[in-house]
Amino acid sequence: MTKNMNIVLIDDNKIELLIHQRVLEKLDESAKVKSFSNPILAIRYLEMLSTWNLSSDIPQYIFLDIEMPEMNGFEVLHTIEKIKILRKNKTKVFFLSSIGIPNFIRMAHDYEIRANYIPKPLTKEKLIEQLIQTQTKSKILQTLINIS
């Protein structure tokens, strides 16, 4: 039995959240995608997983919008990088944004949980490119390569 892929998606735009969730679910039908339009609730969810040591639900990937009203993506990343179980499990973070400001892209690499940048909208092709660039050997990459 293979381990299901766990993904957390955080974006204040509910339409983009739904679109990105569908893209991810189509790429790996067995993936469990948890979507949050409120980054504070997403942080609480991740902290709860850590507190209760629910390692089977720890996300392998977090897709995170940069521009959100409650907290920006960098503030969210700064907070979640303190959650030890995410570091232990080598959770990968990908910023999603329609703003391709080079400074944002450089800042994404300055955290202990290293983040990468994918321009919106999320597509299969952009995801494959990022996973290959980051040399991520994963079930989702194998799934993507097999259906390409």
Side-chain angles (χ1 to χ4, degrees):
M1 176 181 235
T2 60
K3 182 179 175 185
N4 284 345
M5 184 67 53
N6 296 311
I7 299 169
V8 169
L9 185 54
I10 307 167
D11 194 323
D12 63 305
N13 183 318
K14 292 181 182 180
I15 293 170
E16 288 181 348
L17 191 66
L18 181 62
I19 291 168
H20 293 151
Q21 181 172 347
R22 288 202 174 141
V23 166
L24 291 166
E25 289 172 344
K26 282 184 180 179
L27 295 176
D28 185 349
E29 293 177 2
S30 67
K32 293 181 355 186
V33 181
K34 292 284 288 181
S35 297
F36 296 90
S37 60
N38 182 322
I40 296 166
L41 294 178
I43 291 168
R44 287 184 186 153
Y45 169 76
L46 294 167
E47 289 172 337
M48 183 266 312
L49 293 178
S50 181
T51 299
W52 291 94
N53 199 24
L54 300 172
S55 57
S56 64
D57 292 328
I58 297 298
Q60 287 81 17
Y61 299 98
I62 297 174
F63 293 88
L64 175 60
D65 185 23
I66 293 176
E67 294 291 320
M68 296 182 286
E70 295 89 358
M71 298 176 82
N72 71 44
F74 293 101
E75 292 169 322
V76 174
L77 183 58
H78 180 72
T79 302
I80 67 173
E81 77 174 348
K82 296 174 186 170
I83 302 172
K84 290 180 184 177
I85 199 162
L86 296 178
R87 290 194 318 265
K88 178 183 171 196
N89 288 324
K90 298 183 178 152
T91 297
K92 304 274 188 269
V93 176
F94 292 96
F95 280 121
L96 296 172
S97 184
S98 54
I99 303 171
I101 300 171
N103 195 36
F104 277 173
I105 296 168
R106 277 192 298 277
M107 287 171 58
H109 297 284
D110 290 342
Y111 289 85
E112 188 172 337
I113 294 180
R114 189 170 168 126
N116 289 292
Y117 172 82
I118 300 175
K120 284 184 178 178
L122 179 63
T123 64
K124 175 180 88 169
E125 294 76 20
K126 290 176 188 175
L127 184 55
I128 289 172
E129 180 182 328
Q130 276 299 313
L131 292 172
I132 290 171
Q133 283 180 8
T134 60
Q135 300 176 355
T136 302
K137 306 290 188 258
S138 67
K139 181 182 169 200
I140 196 166
L141 179 57
Q142 288 304 315
T143 302
L144 293 172
I145 290 170
N146 291 336
I147 58 176
S148 294

